[in-house]
Amino acid sequence: MQKITACLWFDNQAEEAAEYYVSVFDNAKINNISRFGEGGPGSEGQVMVVDFSIEGQQFQALNGGPAFSFTEAVSFSIDCASQEEVDRYWKALTDGGTESQCGWLKDRYGVSWQVAPSALGGLIGGPDPAGSQRAMQAMLGMNKLDIAEIQKAYDGG
């Protein structure tokens, strides 16, 4: 069992959001759904908490009401092995959401994500300082990250 679990606070879309996230990732599933009982703060039978997992990481989606909303202060980073993965996650998570700079986006529920290629660290922190600077500048001009373009900038092209 995982020691720390991220709990995502939704107004009343916990089940819908969990189903959405499970549909985006291949290795994901809903593990349990808890409902409010009689006398609970929510209507009897309404979803209270959805426990789900993505790539072995446990999450909870809570229907907590409108008191809180998501900000960019917390985000989830997806390590992508290829441009195809970057493209797939970017397309799925921006559907109904909004793009931002440098591989960041907000999904349709306002949750922030970083869709980042594994190769990025070796390019913006590579052994060639001038190449790393060019790669950083290329990345800063992008919304969805393009591995080939960042590599080209690093190489001086």
Side-chain angles (χ1 to χ4, degrees), residues 35-75:
R35 299 183 182 279
F36 289 108
E38 186 179 329
S43 302
E44 185 176 0
Q46 176 189 6
V47 171
M48 179 174 58
V49 175
V50 179
D51 295 308
F52 64 104
S53 58
I54 300 172
E55 298 294 336
Q57 177 74 39
Q58 301 300 311
F59 293 87
Q60 290 181 323
L62 166 72
N63 278 332
F68 301 108
S69 58
F70 298 106
T71 74
E72 293 84 355
V74 174
S75 65

Side-chain angles (χ1 to χ4, degrees), residues 73-140:
V74 174
S75 65
F76 296 105
S77 183
I78 305 169
D79 182 42
C80 299
S82 66
Q83 188 66 48
E84 291 76 25
E85 259 194 302
V86 169
D87 295 346
R88 182 170 69 91
Y89 289 125
W90 189 265
K91 181 179 179 187
L93 291 168
T94 57
D95 181 16
T98 55
E99 296 185 6
S100 191
Q101 276 186 279
C102 305
W104 286 64
L105 63 89
K106 275 190 174 185
D107 68 27
R108 63 181 72 167
Y109 301 101
V111 175
S112 293
W113 296 84
Q114 300 173 55
V115 182
S118 303
L120 184 63
L123 295 170
I124 63 173
D128 174 11
S132 292
Q133 183 60 33
R134 289 189 303 270
M136 176 67 78
Q137 290 305 308
M139 182 193 71
L140 290 173

